[in-house]
Amino acid sequence: SADLDKVRAAAEEFLELFHNENPRAAPIRPRIAAVMREIDMTGTYWHTPAELAFGARVAWRNNARCIGRLYWNSLQVRDLRAVSDAAGVAEQCFDHLRAAHNGGKIRPMISIFAPETSIRPAPRIWNEQLIRYAGYDQPSHRVIGDPRYRAFTAEVIKRGWTPPEHPGAFDVLPLVVETVDEGPRMFDVPSSVVHEVPLEHPELPWFAELGMRWHAVPVISNNRLEIGGVSYPAAPFNGWYMGTEIGARNLGDNDRYALVPQVAERMGLDTSDEATLWRDRALVEINRAVLHSFQANEITITDHHTESRRFLVHLEKEERAGRSCPADWSWIVPPMSGSQTPVFHRYYDAEDLVPNFFADDEIAHRALHGAPPAFR
Amino acid sequence: SADLDKVRAAAEEFLELFHNENPRAAPIRPRIAAVMREIDMTGTYWHTPAELAFGARVAWRNNARCIGRLYWNSLQVRDLRAVSDAAGVAEQCFDHLRAAHNGGKIRPMISIFAPETSIRPAPRIWNEQLIRYAGYDQPSHRVIGDPRYRAFTAEVIKRGWTPPEHPGAFDVLPLVVETVDEGPRMFDVPSSVVHEVPLEHPELPWFAELGMRWHAVPVISNNRLEIGGVSYPAAPFNGWYMGTEIGARNLGDNDRYALVPQVAERMGLDTSDEATLWRDRALVEINRAVLHSFQANEITITDHHTESRRFLVHLEKEERAGRSCPADWSWIVPPMSGSQTPVFHRYYDAEDLVPNFFADDEIAHRALHGAPPAFR
Ligand code: HEM
Ligand code: HEM
């Protein structure tokens, strides 16, 4: 069939890449022949552990949105393809959080659960990240917590999740794992694997009183990993945070924690006139607080200037290796002080390469609305 | 010929647009017939003053890089198609600077010189803007002035321009106008049309001691305006400044005036550690100084927050008018505090529409290197 032809072509392309970059691997011809037989029989094939690890690393290397790719080759890969039940997936996700946190010296890591096969759909994790904070709609139209997840929060409550007695701004949402046998199931994330950093400012003592904090390890959990024609819908991965993700976006965006006006007011800025650049000033101070607090707690974090320079080193290395390095300008350029970073001042390749990570509209919708289920 | 067919098609498309949006204009059929006859006879045609003004305004409306398009319909159009000699072009450019400055209440304006015809190439202005500052290479590898124009400056010196006895950081470059008869000719921009704003900071008294200033009116002078198959290579236009163009890019970029480290040092910031965000802090203060100084001197200027909101109003208006509004995210999102502006959080149409402004590689090269001449 046409579908199987696609799998065969993708498998062959990937195996060639793997053997090109791993000259000491077993000979390629017998491996391709074996994989083709396997596809004939089952519609898919089983990656060797070395292929799996290489595939995941190259998926990172190929992801045009990620500025942190310099260390792509050191990604730690947890081969969990034998795990396909909801409780097993949840348990291993919590272990991932523990192992990746590593006492603050965060390790880039991916956990790869059972793949999609023709006879058995793979498990799915609904949440955008393993740790995300609930958002509660209030009668006053204010939201407590993260407004991005107000629909998701309402949906998990409808499904039976009990929020804390006193809903707070940083209540960790339950993990929703869906399998074809069990449907969607919810699991509370044990507090022992949720490491958080209370935010304080190096110079402004009142900042700590805002009661802000953020979690240490960003594990994106809803992207589908695709390697050589095999699809791994559950393959949560993490790096460490770049400060702007927290300070500029999660805390700064108007439709997230929207901290800028509050901080500007505490700073005593004139918010009646945009030309005082009160937004810009408050934004910088929030971001200073994030970087300072992570550093004070000895949690790995990077700033956008350093990371931009590292990314240019990565581009050079990729060029020297004779590879194209696709990059999406609008994702690579940081959300603050764009033109102060060297990544602003150049163009990038725009190819789509596989292996890679994907999130289609349905996946994205499920992560924000907690619906519809994948298997109905 | 194929070329003439293109002109005919472009003319017809433009005339239809003009008549659609100007229902009270003279009937379209006779106008199209007349234009087709004119193209048969001469290879091109002469826009009516109304067509010319409409074409220039729509070129602005169609330009995907410009965030300032809300006021596209109020662009003032100077019809200077009768002017084609170098001295005449230069003289009118200086008049443009005077009229656009308007005592500080800056008027968006375009001056349209003789078009390209089959028998007579149009004049060209080499400079990127009518007012640009010279950059002088120093033996120490430091540059006095604007490093962006060091090659252009060296070239005009070779061509006979005499820089001031004591080269400074803000010496206005001569205007270079090239015609097919005269070749490239240089004209000093009279100081009476160069309005400048000395930069001071609302709170930091030492800022004024840096001796920074910038000119009030940004007139882009090397773009080719194309309307309905007619090309106007010399058609300088201006709006007012958005502060970040000066504060973030011209003064802040590392390969321009590179003011950020100097200001950070005067602010007493710890520049030994990127995580102090000293670059971001200094950048904000430079931009505050720009906005403050223009306002104090009663020169029209806009900030990136206000302008982003206006642009969203423009998008809504265009949508209501049933038009697509192409926009280039990487140009529209301001170079600082990107995610704090609403334009960051959406996608845009990416069509290429004409009428529009264009700058091909040769034009861009000439503006930076003062070579090669257009007519050899
Ligand atoms: C090691 C430190 C890392 C840093 C500093 C880093 C940094 C970033 C940043 C700043 C973004 C943009 C996020 C946003 O704007 O929402 C991003 C996106 C992304 N990164 Fe990385 N990253 C790291 C590790 C990784 C790893 C280990 C992987 C996968 C194995 C990865 C894959 C991705 C993907 C797929 C995206 C796009 C996410 C999306 O579409 O929402 N990154 N990264
Ligand atoms: C009225 C106030 C205006 C504002 C605030 C404004 C703002 C801007 C800004 C911020 C940019 C980006 C500049 C850069 O990053 O280098 C830009 C680009 C541009 N604008 Fe506007 N603009 C205005 C008026 C105009 C007018 C009157 C025209 C033409 C009639 C125009 C045509 C363009 C074009 C063609 C570009 C792209 C320039 C290039 O490719 O280098 N703008 N504008």
Side-chain angles (χ1 to χ4, degrees):
Chain A
S1 82
D3 275 5
L4 281 194
D5 283 345
K6 270 195 208 152
V7 174
R8 284 190 196 95
E12 187 163 346
E13 193 188 327
F14 169 68
L15 293 169
E16 274 163 9
L17 185 73
F18 174 72
H19 282 82
N20 276 340
E21 298 195 28
N22 298 277
R24 279 174 307 186
I28 181 168
R29 286 300 130 205
R31 176 62 183 145
I32 289 186
V35 164
M36 293 303 138
R37 274 197 309 276
E38 212 176 320
I39 295 173
D40 289 343
M41 305 286 289
T42 68
T44 183
Y45 65 106
W46 199 253
H47 287 123
T48 65
E51 288 165 1
L52 188 74
F54 174 76
R57 288 174 185 142
V58 174
W60 182 11
R61 184 177 87 193
N62 283 341
N63 193 275
R65 295 176 165 184
C66 181
I67 194 175
R69 287 178 275 167
L70 179 58
Y71 305 120
W72 67 272
N73 205 16
S74 65
L75 178 68
Q76 297 202 21
V77 179
R78 299 171 78 220
D79 181 355
L80 299 168
R81 288 176 291 172
V83 179
S84 63
D85 66 303
V89 168
E91 201 49 57
Q92 289 296 345
C93 284
F94 305 149
D95 274 354
H96 181 131
L97 279 169
R98 219 173 267 123
H101 177 260
N102 187 31
K105 216 174 137 26
I106 291 173
R107 285 192 278 234
M109 181 173 284
I110 188 168
S111 295
I112 307 179
F113 294 104
E116 200 88 315
T117 73
S118 14
I119 58 160
R120 206 181 150 73
R124 264 91 176 143
I125 300 166
W126 284 14
N127 310 54
E128 221 168 25
Q129 294 199 14
L130 295 186
I131 301 176
R132 295 279 86 177
Y133 297 120
Y136 307 100
D137 265 317
Q138 296 299 99
S140 63
H141 281 288
R142 261 187 67 248
V143 175
I144 296 184
D146 193 340
R148 184 173 176 86
Y149 300 110
R150 57 218 274 193
F152 191 92
T153 302
E155 186 62 28
V156 293
I157 289 174
K158 222 163 69 188
R159 290 180 179 276
W161 178 64
T162 317
E165 197 183 344
H166 299 291
F170 300 99
D171 298 342
V172 176
L173 284 163
L175 197 65
V176 184
V177 183
E178 182 181 1
T179 64
V180 70
D181 295 330
E182 305 162 272
R185 288 188 57 193
M186 298 191 294
F187 301 89
D188 278 330
V189 183
S191 59
S192 65
V193 302
V194 182
H195 296 276
E196 292 180 303
V197 178
L199 299 184
E200 57 175 29
H201 188 281
E203 285 151 21
L204 305 170
W206 50 260
F207 199 97
E209 294 161 21
L210 300 174
M212 291 292 134
R213 57 183 202 241
W214 205 258
H215 59 90
V217 190
V219 190
I220 295 184
S221 45
N222 67 339
N223 279 23
R224 188 168 57 77
L225 166 63
E226 189 166 320
I227 304 175
V230 181
S231 181
Y232 299 95
F237 59 82
N238 75 279
W240 45 78
Y241 263 120
M242 182 162 94
T244 54
E245 295 178 79
I246 304 169
R249 307 298 314 280
N250 300 344
L251 297 179
D253 275 1
N254 222 12
D255 55 0
R256 302 292 300 284
Y257 282 80
L259 217 57
V260 167
Q262 204 178 330
V263 168
E265 204 186 312
R266 294 294 294 257
M267 289 173 71
L269 305 181
D270 174 4
T271 59
S272 72
D273 178 1
E274 291 289 0
T276 63
L277 300 189
W278 60 271
R279 293 184 200 274
D280 311 72
R281 293 174 74 187
L283 183 69
V284 174
E285 299 313 327
I286 296 169
N287 279 276
R288 286 179 68 200
V290 168
L291 292 167
H292 164 81
S293 306
F294 270 63
Q295 288 181 344
N297 283 268
E298 298 188 354
I299 308 286
T300 314
I301 193 161
T302 182
D303 68 83
H304 48 295
H305 303 290
T306 303
E307 208 56 29
S308 293
R309 274 202 300 272
R310 278 193 196 142
F311 185 65
L312 292 191
V313 172
H314 173 63
L315 283 180
E316 260 173 51
K317 281 179 84 168
E318 288 301 292
E319 202 173 323
R320 271 204 306 278
R323 291 191 288 259
S324 119
C325 180
D328 180 335
W329 195 97
S330 68
W331 280 74
I332 295 294
V333 171
M336 66 186 286
S337 309
S339 60
Q340 278 296 299
T341 64
V343 293
F344 183 96
H345 301 276
R346 47 164 298 161
Y347 291 97
Y348 300 99
D349 294 338
E351 281 169 278
D352 287 320
L353 298 179
V354 278
N356 214 323
F357 295 97
F358 298 91
D360 61 29
D361 289 349
E362 212 185 298
I363 288 175
H365 189 271
R366 197 173 292 132
L368 296 185
H369 298 273
F375 313 118
R376 273 158 291 187
Chain B
S1 81
D3 276 5
L4 280 194
D5 283 345
K6 272 196 207 151
V7 174
R8 284 189 197 95
E12 189 162 344
E13 192 189 328
F14 169 69
L15 293 170
E16 275 164 8
L17 184 73
F18 174 72
H19 282 81
N20 276 341
E21 298 195 28
N22 298 276
R24 281 173 308 186
I28 181 169
R29 285 301 128 203
R31 176 60 184 147
I32 289 186
V35 164
M36 293 302 139
R37 275 197 308 275
E38 213 176 320
I39 294 173
D40 289 343
M41 305 287 289
T42 67
T44 183
Y45 66 106
W46 199 254
H47 288 124
T48 65
E51 288 164 2
L52 188 73
F54 174 77
R57 290 176 184 141
V58 173
W60 182 11
R61 185 178 86 194
N62 284 341
N63 193 274
R65 294 177 165 183
C66 181
I67 195 175
R69 288 178 273 168
L70 179 58
Y71 306 120
W72 68 272
N73 205 15
S74 66
L75 178 69
Q76 296 203 20
V77 180
R78 298 172 78 219
D79 181 355
L80 298 168
R81 288 176 292 173
V83 179
S84 64
D85 65 303
V89 168
E91 200 51 56
Q92 290 295 346
C93 284
F94 305 148
D95 274 354
H96 180 132
L97 280 170
R98 219 172 268 123
H101 177 260
N102 186 31
K105 215 174 136 26
I106 291 173
R107 285 192 278 234
M109 183 173 281
I110 187 167
S111 295
I112 306 177
F113 294 105
E116 201 89 315
T117 73
S118 16
I119 60 162
R120 206 181 152 73
R124 264 90 175 143
I125 300 166
W126 285 12
N127 311 55
E128 221 168 24
Q129 293 199 14
L130 295 185
I131 300 176
R132 294 279 86 177
Y133 298 119
Y136 308 100
D137 265 317
Q138 296 298 101
S140 63
H141 280 288
R142 262 188 64 249
V143 175
I144 296 184
D146 193 339
R148 182 172 177 86
Y149 300 108
R150 58 218 274 192
F152 190 92
T153 303
E155 186 62 29
V156 293
I157 290 174
K158 221 161 71 186
R159 289 180 179 276
W161 179 62
T162 317
E165 198 184 342
H166 300 290
F170 299 98
D171 298 342
V172 176
L173 284 163
L175 197 65
V176 184
V177 182
E178 183 180 2
T179 64
V180 69
D181 295 331
E182 305 163 272
R185 288 187 57 192
M186 298 189 296
F187 301 88
D188 279 328
V189 183
S191 59
S192 64
V193 302
V194 181
H195 296 277
E196 292 180 305
V197 178
L199 299 185
E200 56 175 31
H201 189 281
E203 286 152 20
L204 305 169
W206 51 259
F207 198 98
E209 293 161 21
L210 299 175
M212 291 292 135
R213 57 183 202 241
W214 205 257
H215 58 90
V217 190
V219 190
I220 295 184
S221 46
N222 68 338
N223 280 23
R224 187 168 58 77
L225 166 63
E226 190 165 320
I227 304 174
V230 181
S231 180
Y232 300 94
F237 59 82
N238 74 279
W240 45 78
Y241 264 120
M242 181 161 93
T244 55
E245 295 179 78
I246 304 169
R249 306 298 314 279
N250 299 344
L251 297 178
D253 275 1
N254 222 13
D255 56 0
R256 302 292 299 284
Y257 282 80
L259 216 58
V260 167
Q262 205 178 329
V263 168
E265 205 186 312
R266 294 295 293 257
M267 289 172 70
L269 305 183
D270 174 4
T271 60
S272 72
D273 178 1
E274 291 290 359
T276 64
L277 300 189
W278 60 271
R279 293 185 200 274
D280 311 72
R281 293 175 73 187
L283 183 69
V284 174
E285 299 313 327
I286 297 168
N287 279 277
R288 287 179 68 199
V290 168
L291 292 167
H292 164 81
S293 307
F294 270 63
Q295 287 180 343
N297 282 267
E298 299 187 352
I299 309 285
T300 314
I301 193 160
T302 184
D303 67 83
H304 47 295
H305 303 289
T306 303
E307 209 55 28
S308 294
R309 275 201 300 271
R310 278 192 195 141
F311 184 65
L312 292 192
V313 172
H314 173 63
L315 283 181
E316 261 173 50
K317 281 180 83 168
E318 290 300 292
E319 202 172 322
R320 271 203 306 277
R323 292 190 288 258
S324 117
C325 180
D328 180 335
W329 196 96
S330 69
W331 280 75
I332 295 294
V333 171
M336 65 186 286
S337 309
S339 60
Q340 277 297 299
T341 64
V343 293
F344 182 95
H345 302 275
R346 46 165 297 159
Y347 291 97
Y348 300 100
D349 294 338
E351 281 168 278
D352 287 319
L353 299 179
V354 278
N356 214 324
F357 295 98
F358 298 92
D360 62 28
D361 289 349
E362 213 185 296
I363 287 175
H365 189 270
R366 198 173 290 132
L368 296 185
H369 299 273
F375 313 118
R376 273 158 290 189

